[in-house]
Amino acid sequence: QPPTDVCLKLSHHLVKEVVGTFKNGTLEGLAKISYLDGHKIIASYKNGICYGHRRDWNSNGTLVQVAYYN
């Protein structure tokens, strides 16, 4: 059962795997999120919110976005 209402408030039912560190129920630091459709996100999180560098790949493994959040 994937966590709900923690750090993935949208589309949590589409998440295949989350690899990262959770602190008090929220993502903290670098994490990789894989979705059932094959796309992936590697991003830094602070208190469960994307903070810092984020990279997104589509299901073909092509890098489609690089961003910085603060």
Side-chain angles (χ1 to χ4, degrees):
Q1 180 78 16
T4 58
D5 238 12
V6 178
C7 63
L8 303 170
K9 292 185 184 225
L10 299 175
S11 68
H12 65 273
H13 61 284
L14 301 176
V15 174
K16 178 180 178 182
E17 178 181 44
V18 177
V19 178
T21 301
F22 285 85
K23 182 177 177 183
N24 298 321
T26 59
L27 275 174
E28 190 70 33
L30 189 62
K32 176 183 172 184
I33 301 172
S34 301
Y35 291 86
L36 293 174
D37 69 357
H39 81 272
K40 295 179 177 84
I41 296 171
I42 296 178
S44 295
Y45 291 84
K46 186 174 182 179
N47 298 318
I49 299 170
C50 192
Y51 185 86
H53 294 284
R54 174 178 166 164
R55 295 169 289 169
D56 296 48
W57 288 266
N58 66 17
S59 58
N60 295 325
T62 302
L63 183 65
V64 293
Q65 175 177 285
V66 176
Y68 186 87
Y69 293 85
N70 62 14

PDB file of all heavy atoms in Angstrom, residues 19-44:
ATOM      1  N   VAL A  19      12.461   5.696  -3.827  1.00  0.00           N
ATOM      2  CA  VAL A  19      13.729   5.381  -3.183  1.00  0.00           C
ATOM      3  C   VAL A  19      14.266   6.688  -2.627  1.00  0.00           C
ATOM      4  O   VAL A  19      14.574   7.611  -3.379  1.00  0.00           O
ATOM      5  CB  VAL A  19      14.739   4.763  -4.174  1.00  0.00           C
ATOM      6  CG1 VAL A  19      16.065   4.500  -3.484  1.00  0.00           C
ATOM      7  CG2 VAL A  19      14.175   3.494  -4.791  1.00  0.00           C
ATOM      8  N   GLY A  20      14.329   6.786  -1.324  1.00  0.00           N
ATOM      9  CA  GLY A  20      14.799   8.006  -0.685  1.00  0.00           C
ATOM     10  C   GLY A  20      14.666   7.897   0.809  1.00  0.00           C
ATOM     11  O   GLY A  20      14.304   6.840   1.342  1.00  0.00           O
ATOM     12  N   THR A  21      14.932   8.963   1.490  1.00  0.00           N
ATOM     13  CA  THR A  21      14.866   9.000   2.948  1.00  0.00           C
ATOM     14  C   THR A  21      13.621   9.764   3.372  1.00  0.00           C
ATOM     15  O   THR A  21      13.356  10.854   2.873  1.00  0.00           O
ATOM     16  CB  THR A  21      16.116   9.699   3.524  1.00  0.00           C
ATOM     17  OG1 THR A  21      17.268   8.978   3.086  1.00  0.00           O
ATOM     18  CG2 THR A  21      16.083   9.739   5.032  1.00  0.00           C
ATOM     19  N   PHE A  22      12.876   9.159   4.269  1.00  0.00           N
ATOM     20  CA  PHE A  22      11.701   9.810   4.830  1.00  0.00           C
ATOM     21  C   PHE A  22      12.022  10.268   6.247  1.00  0.00           C
ATOM     22  O   PHE A  22      12.633   9.531   7.022  1.00  0.00           O
ATOM     23  CB  PHE A  22      10.511   8.845   4.871  1.00  0.00           C
ATOM     24  CG  PHE A  22       9.899   8.615   3.527  1.00  0.00           C
ATOM     25  CD1 PHE A  22      10.411   7.657   2.665  1.00  0.00           C
ATOM     26  CD2 PHE A  22       8.810   9.367   3.112  1.00  0.00           C
ATOM     27  CE1 PHE A  22       9.843   7.442   1.427  1.00  0.00           C
ATOM     28  CE2 PHE A  22       8.234   9.163   1.869  1.00  0.00           C
ATOM     29  CZ  PHE A  22       8.760   8.192   1.027  1.00  0.00           C
ATOM     30  N   LYS A  23      11.638  11.484   6.574  1.00  0.00           N
ATOM     31  CA  LYS A  23      11.821  12.032   7.912  1.00  0.00           C
ATOM     32  C   LYS A  23      10.462  12.547   8.369  1.00  0.00           C
ATOM     33  O   LYS A  23       9.870  13.402   7.704  1.00  0.00           O
ATOM     34  CB  LYS A  23      12.845  13.172   7.873  1.00  0.00           C
ATOM     35  CG  LYS A  23      13.143  13.774   9.207  1.00  0.00           C
ATOM     36  CD  LYS A  23      14.218  14.847   9.075  1.00  0.00           C
ATOM     37  CE  LYS A  23      14.484  15.507  10.399  1.00  0.00           C
ATOM     38  NZ  LYS A  23      15.467  16.578  10.254  1.00  0.00           N
ATOM     39  N   ASN A  24       9.953  11.999   9.453  1.00  0.00           N
ATOM     40  CA  ASN A  24       8.624  12.355   9.958  1.00  0.00           C
ATOM     41  C   ASN A  24       7.546  12.208   8.890  1.00  0.00           C
ATOM     42  O   ASN A  24       6.644  13.034   8.777  1.00  0.00           O
ATOM     43  CB  ASN A  24       8.613  13.775  10.526  1.00  0.00           C
ATOM     44  CG  ASN A  24       9.541  13.928  11.701  1.00  0.00           C
ATOM     45  OD1 ASN A  24       9.647  13.021  12.529  1.00  0.00           O
ATOM     46  ND2 ASN A  24      10.226  15.044  11.779  1.00  0.00           N
ATOM     47  N   GLY A  25       7.667  11.173   8.058  1.00  0.00           N
ATOM     48  CA  GLY A  25       6.651  10.887   7.067  1.00  0.00           C
ATOM     49  C   GLY A  25       6.749  11.650   5.763  1.00  0.00           C
ATOM     50  O   GLY A  25       5.881  11.517   4.907  1.00  0.00           O
ATOM     51  N   THR A  26       7.788  12.466   5.581  1.00  0.00           N
ATOM     52  CA  THR A  26       7.948  13.212   4.332  1.00  0.00           C
ATOM     53  C   THR A  26       9.336  12.975   3.763  1.00  0.00           C
ATOM     54  O   THR A  26      10.285  12.686   4.492  1.00  0.00           O
ATOM     55  CB  THR A  26       7.737  14.726   4.539  1.00  0.00           C
ATOM     56  OG1 THR A  26       8.683  15.204   5.490  1.00  0.00           O
ATOM     57  CG2 THR A  26       6.339  15.041   5.015  1.00  0.00           C
ATOM     58  N   LEU A  27       9.446  13.118   2.439  1.00  0.00           N
ATOM     59  CA  LEU A  27      10.745  12.951   1.794  1.00  0.00           C
ATOM     60  C   LEU A  27      11.693  14.056   2.210  1.00  0.00           C
ATOM     61  O   LEU A  27      11.306  15.222   2.320  1.00  0.00           O
ATOM     62  CB  LEU A  27      10.588  12.981   0.267  1.00  0.00           C
ATOM     63  CG  LEU A  27      10.234  11.659  -0.394  1.00  0.00           C
ATOM     64  CD1 LEU A  27       9.958  11.876  -1.876  1.00  0.00           C
ATOM     65  CD2 LEU A  27      11.307  10.627  -0.200  1.00  0.00           C
ATOM     66  N   GLU A  28      12.948  13.648   2.398  1.00  0.00           N
ATOM     67  CA  GLU A  28      13.992  14.598   2.794  1.00  0.00           C
ATOM     68  C   GLU A  28      15.267  14.216   2.054  1.00  0.00           C
ATOM     69  O   GLU A  28      15.734  13.077   2.150  1.00  0.00           O
ATOM     70  CB  GLU A  28      14.207  14.549   4.304  1.00  0.00           C
ATOM     71  CG  GLU A  28      15.078  15.636   4.860  1.00  0.00           C
ATOM     72  CD  GLU A  28      14.415  17.003   4.823  1.00  0.00           C
ATOM     73  OE1 GLU A  28      13.189  17.110   4.971  1.00  0.00           O
ATOM     74  OE2 GLU A  28      15.153  17.988   4.642  1.00  0.00           O
ATOM     75  N   GLY A  29      15.802  15.151   1.272  1.00  0.00           N
ATOM     76  CA  GLY A  29      17.027  14.887   0.528  1.00  0.00           C
ATOM     77  C   GLY A  29      16.752  14.324  -0.854  1.00  0.00           C
ATOM     78  O   GLY A  29      15.656  14.444  -1.389  1.00  0.00           O
ATOM     79  N   LEU A  30      17.749  13.672  -1.430  1.00  0.00           N
ATOM     80  CA  LEU A  30      17.662  13.142  -2.781  1.00  0.00           C
ATOM     81  C   LEU A  30      16.742  11.924  -2.823  1.00  0.00           C
ATOM     82  O   LEU A  30      16.819  11.050  -1.962  1.00  0.00           O
ATOM     83  CB  LEU A  30      19.051  12.766  -3.282  1.00  0.00           C
ATOM     84  CG  LEU A  30      19.191  12.402  -4.746  1.00  0.00           C
ATOM     85  CD1 LEU A  30      18.801  13.590  -5.632  1.00  0.00           C
ATOM     86  CD2 LEU A  30      20.604  11.978  -5.039  1.00  0.00           C
ATOM     87  N   ALA A  31      15.883  11.861  -3.842  1.00  0.00           N
ATOM     88  CA  ALA A  31      14.956  10.734  -3.990  1.00  0.00           C
ATOM     89  C   ALA A  31      14.715  10.446  -5.462  1.00  0.00           C
ATOM     90  O   ALA A  31      14.817  11.322  -6.312  1.00  0.00           O
ATOM     91  CB  ALA A  31      13.626  11.033  -3.312  1.00  0.00           C
ATOM     92  N   LYS A  32      14.395   9.187  -5.729  1.00  0.00           N
ATOM     93  CA  LYS A  32      14.034   8.739  -7.072  1.00  0.00           C
ATOM     94  C   LYS A  32      12.614   8.195  -7.005  1.00  0.00           C
ATOM     95  O   LYS A  32      12.313   7.339  -6.176  1.00  0.00           O
ATOM     96  CB  LYS A  32      14.981   7.657  -7.553  1.00  0.00           C
ATOM     97  CG  LYS A  32      14.629   7.075  -8.895  1.00  0.00           C
ATOM     98  CD  LYS A  32      15.601   5.961  -9.243  1.00  0.00           C
ATOM     99  CE  LYS A  32      15.163   5.224 -10.480  1.00  0.00           C
ATOM    100  NZ  LYS A  32      16.052   4.085 -10.755  1.00  0.00           N
ATOM    101  N   ILE A  33      11.750   8.697  -7.880  1.00  0.00           N
ATOM    102  CA  ILE A  33      10.364   8.238  -7.936  1.00  0.00           C
ATOM    103  C   ILE A  33      10.136   7.626  -9.308  1.00  0.00           C
ATOM    104  O   ILE A  33      10.365   8.275 -10.331  1.00  0.00           O
ATOM    105  CB  ILE A  33       9.377   9.392  -7.699  1.00  0.00           C
ATOM    106  CG1 ILE A  33       9.648  10.031  -6.336  1.00  0.00           C
ATOM    107  CG2 ILE A  33       7.939   8.893  -7.794  1.00  0.00           C
ATOM    108  CD1 ILE A  33       8.863  11.293  -6.075  1.00  0.00           C
ATOM    109  N   SER A  34       9.716   6.360  -9.306  1.00  0.00           N
ATOM    110  CA  SER A  34       9.410   5.644 -10.547  1.00  0.00           C
ATOM    111  C   SER A  34       7.907   5.454 -10.630  1.00  0.00           C
ATOM    112  O   SER A  34       7.267   5.085  -9.642  1.00  0.00           O
ATOM    113  CB  SER A  34      10.090   4.278 -10.562  1.00  0.00           C
ATOM    114  OG  SER A  34      11.484   4.411 -10.435  1.00  0.00           O
ATOM    115  N   TYR A  35       7.353   5.687 -11.812  1.00  0.00           N
ATOM    116  CA  TYR A  35       5.914   5.561 -12.034  1.00  0.00           C
ATOM    117  C   TYR A  35       5.606   4.303 -12.839  1.00  0.00           C
ATOM    118  O   TYR A  35       6.467   3.784 -13.563  1.00  0.00           O
ATOM    119  CB  TYR A  35       5.379   6.803 -12.763  1.00  0.00           C
ATOM    120  CG  TYR A  35       5.422   8.029 -11.888  1.00  0.00           C
ATOM    121  CD1 TYR A  35       6.564   8.808 -11.803  1.00  0.00           C
ATOM    122  CD2 TYR A  35       4.322   8.388 -11.125  1.00  0.00           C
ATOM    123  CE1 TYR A  35       6.604   9.934 -10.982  1.00  0.00           C
ATOM    124  CE2 TYR A  35       4.360   9.511 -10.303  1.00  0.00           C
ATOM    125  CZ  TYR A  35       5.505  10.266 -10.238  1.00  0.00           C
ATOM    126  OH  TYR A  35       5.548  11.374  -9.420  1.00  0.00           O
ATOM    127  N   LEU A  36       4.388   3.820 -12.725  1.00  0.00           N
ATOM    128  CA  LEU A  36       3.972   2.600 -13.408  1.00  0.00           C
ATOM    129  C   LEU A  36       4.094   2.702 -14.930  1.00  0.00           C
ATOM    130  O   LEU A  36       4.336   1.703 -15.600  1.00  0.00           O
ATOM    131  CB  LEU A  36       2.532   2.238 -13.027  1.00  0.00           C
ATOM    132  CG  LEU A  36       2.339   1.817 -11.569  1.00  0.00           C
ATOM    133  CD1 LEU A  36       0.859   1.633 -11.265  1.00  0.00           C
ATOM    134  CD2 LEU A  36       3.125   0.551 -11.259  1.00  0.00           C
ATOM    135  N   ASP A  37       3.968   3.903 -15.478  1.00  0.00           N
ATOM    136  CA  ASP A  37       4.068   4.065 -16.930  1.00  0.00           C
ATOM    137  C   ASP A  37       5.510   4.147 -17.415  1.00  0.00           C
ATOM    138  O   ASP A  37       5.776   4.283 -18.597  1.00  0.00           O
ATOM    139  CB  ASP A  37       3.287   5.284 -17.405  1.00  0.00           C
ATOM    140  CG  ASP A  37       3.900   6.607 -16.976  1.00  0.00           C
ATOM    141  OD1 ASP A  37       4.921   6.611 -16.251  1.00  0.00           O
ATOM    142  OD2 ASP A  37       3.352   7.656 -17.360  1.00  0.00           O
ATOM    143  N   GLY A  38       6.484   4.063 -16.487  1.00  0.00           N
ATOM    144  CA  GLY A  38       7.896   4.031 -16.863  1.00  0.00           C
ATOM    145  C   GLY A  38       8.646   5.334 -16.721  1.00  0.00           C
ATOM    146  O   GLY A  38       9.870   5.346 -16.828  1.00  0.00           O
ATOM    147  N   HIS A  39       7.963   6.453 -16.477  1.00  0.00           N
ATOM    148  CA  HIS A  39       8.741   7.687 -16.327  1.00  0.00           C
ATOM    149  C   HIS A  39       9.290   7.785 -14.905  1.00  0.00           C
ATOM    150  O   HIS A  39       8.792   7.151 -13.986  1.00  0.00           O
ATOM    151  CB  HIS A  39       7.973   8.927 -16.805  1.00  0.00           C
ATOM    152  CG  HIS A  39       6.984   9.514 -15.866  1.00  0.00           C
ATOM    153  ND1 HIS A  39       5.676   9.113 -15.805  1.00  0.00           N
ATOM    154  CD2 HIS A  39       7.117  10.501 -14.947  1.00  0.00           C
ATOM    155  CE1 HIS A  39       5.033   9.830 -14.895  1.00  0.00           C
ATOM    156  NE2 HIS A  39       5.885  10.670 -14.356  1.00  0.00           N
ATOM    157  N   LYS A  40      10.383   8.542 -14.775  1.00  0.00           N
ATOM    158  CA  LYS A  40      11.098   8.653 -13.507  1.00  0.00           C
ATOM    159  C   LYS A  40      11.434  10.102 -13.207  1.00  0.00           C
ATOM    160  O   LYS A  40      11.613  10.909 -14.106  1.00  0.00           O
ATOM    161  CB  LYS A  40      12.402   7.852 -13.564  1.00  0.00           C
ATOM    162  CG  LYS A  40      12.204   6.371 -13.700  1.00  0.00           C
ATOM    163  CD  LYS A  40      13.539   5.660 -13.762  1.00  0.00           C
ATOM    164  CE  LYS A  40      13.339   4.168 -13.817  1.00  0.00           C
ATOM    165  NZ  LYS A  40      13.093   3.622 -15.099  1.00  0.00           N
ATOM    166  N   ILE A  41      11.535  10.386 -11.924  1.00  0.00           N
ATOM    167  CA  ILE A  41      11.968  11.699 -11.447  1.00  0.00           C
ATOM    168  C   ILE A  41      13.069  11.471 -10.422  1.00  0.00           C
ATOM    169  O   ILE A  41      12.926  10.623  -9.537  1.00  0.00           O
ATOM    170  CB  ILE A  41      10.813  12.459 -10.773  1.00  0.00           C
ATOM    171  CG1 ILE A  41       9.707  12.762 -11.778  1.00  0.00           C
ATOM    172  CG2 ILE A  41      11.318  13.745 -10.112  1.00  0.00           C
ATOM    173  CD1 ILE A  41       8.441  13.310 -11.152  1.00  0.00           C
ATOM    174  N   ILE A  42      14.140  12.213 -10.549  1.00  0.00           N
ATOM    175  CA  ILE A  42      15.168  12.258  -9.508  1.00  0.00           C
ATOM    176  C   ILE A  42      15.233  13.706  -9.070  1.00  0.00           C
ATOM    177  O   ILE A  42      15.458  14.606  -9.891  1.00  0.00           O
ATOM    178  CB  ILE A  42      16.536  11.770 -10.003  1.00  0.00           C
ATOM    179  CG1 ILE A  42      16.448  10.293 -10.394  1.00  0.00           C
ATOM    180  CG2 ILE A  42      17.596  11.986  -8.923  1.00  0.00           C
ATOM    181  CD1 ILE A  42      17.729   9.710 -10.940  1.00  0.00           C
ATOM    182  N   ALA A  43      14.996  13.934  -7.782  1.00  0.00           N
ATOM    183  CA  ALA A  43      14.917  15.302  -7.282  1.00  0.00           C
ATOM    184  C   ALA A  43      15.337  15.364  -5.824  1.00  0.00           C
ATOM    185  O   ALA A  43      15.370  14.352  -5.125  1.00  0.00           O
ATOM    186  CB  ALA A  43      13.496  15.828  -7.426  1.00  0.00           C
ATOM    187  N   SER A  44      15.627  16.563  -5.379  1.00  0.00           N
ATOM    188  CA  SER A  44      15.897  16.823  -3.972  1.00  0.00           C
ATOM    189  C   SER A  44      14.616  17.327  -3.324  1.00  0.00           C
ATOM    190  O   SER A  44      13.846  18.070  -3.948  1.00  0.00           O
ATOM    191  CB  SER A  44      16.998  17.875  -3.823  1.00  0.00           C
ATOM    192  OG  SER A  44      18.209  17.371  -4.334  1.00  0.00           O
TER     193      SER A  44
END
